[in-house]
Amino acid sequence: IEKNEELIASMERDIETLKEEYAKMVQFAYRNRSNYDKIMYVFASDDFNQAYKRLRYLQQYSEFRKKQTEDIKRLEGMLVGKNAELLAEKADKQSLLQTENTEKSTLANEKSQQQKVYASLQSQEEELKKEIKAKQITKPKSLFISIYLKQRY
């Protein structure tokens, strides 16, 4: 997620840089906005070679502006896609975290129940041991008494 956030921040910086460059170009184009000005720029050349270079420059400049506009739109589209991807990933992780917390709660409840059952069984075991011990103590006495009584009568 951190890498994606860094990538998004980098893409946002790139978009801002492209927008700033584009804004400067638009300002320049505004100052030199009319076709008449462009034609005058070309015709003000000293020779045919310079006129050709100026015409070629204006064409390249126009192509460059179009390319930059497309780059800005493409980067913004990528940024929107990356943000959507991050939001989906975040939602998945939150869902998993909620599921994990629910499972932890369920396990804690089950453990509590098991401890109660264990404590109950231990107390029953103690009671049974006492009963068995009491019977073992009284059994030899009653056996002894019955043998004694048989011998006497």
Side-chain angles (χ1 to χ4, degrees):
I1 289 178
E2 289 180 21
K3 286 183 181 181
N4 286 338
E5 288 175 349
E6 290 174 13
L7 179 64
I8 287 173
S10 172
M11 291 172 83
E12 287 175 343
R13 286 190 298 272
D14 291 346
I15 288 173
E16 287 303 315
T17 303
L18 287 172
K19 283 182 178 181
E20 288 172 7
E21 289 176 6
Y22 186 74
K24 288 177 184 177
M25 286 191 310
V26 168
Q27 287 174 349
F28 176 78
Y30 180 75
R31 281 186 259 134
N32 302 314
R33 66 187 170 274
S34 73
N35 286 333
Y36 178 75
D37 289 340
K38 290 179 184 177
I39 291 171
M40 289 304 295
Y41 176 70
V42 171
F43 284 141
S45 305
D46 292 334
D47 58 19
F48 181 74
N49 194 26
Q50 188 181 25
Y52 176 75
K53 286 181 182 180
R54 287 184 177 187
L55 181 62
R56 191 74 187 124
Y57 167 76
L58 290 173
Q59 288 172 343
Q60 288 175 346
Y61 186 73
S62 177
E63 289 172 12
F64 180 72
R65 281 189 4 203
K66 288 178 185 176
K67 183 183 176 294
Q68 254 194 331
T69 303
E70 291 169 1
D71 287 347
I72 289 171
K73 289 178 181 177
R74 181 181 50 81
L75 283 173
E76 285 179 339
M78 286 174 55
L79 185 60
V80 166
K82 206 55 144 162
N83 279 337
E85 182 181 316
L86 283 175
L87 288 174
E89 188 176 323
K90 183 178 179 180
D92 287 345
K93 287 186 179 186
Q94 285 177 340
S95 173
L96 288 173
L97 183 63
Q98 185 177 8
T99 303
E100 182 181 353
N101 287 339
T102 303
E103 288 178 6
K104 281 182 182 179
S105 175
T106 303
L107 287 174
N109 288 339
E110 287 177 5
K111 185 175 181 180
S112 168
Q113 292 293 330
Q114 287 177 350
Q115 287 175 342
K116 288 178 183 177
V117 168
Y118 180 72
S120 172
L121 290 173
Q122 277 185 326
S123 67
Q124 287 178 359
E125 180 184 23
E126 291 298 318
E127 289 176 22
L128 290 173
K129 282 182 181 179
K130 287 178 183 177
E131 285 179 26
I132 291 172
K133 198 172 202 178
K135 286 182 180 178
Q136 286 176 348
I137 291 174
T138 57
K139 196 173 191 181
K141 283 183 182 178
S142 63
L143 184 62
F144 178 72
I145 293 172
S146 67
I147 293 174
Y148 176 74
L149 290 174
K150 282 184 185 179
Q151 286 178 357
R152 237 173 171 225
Y153 300 112

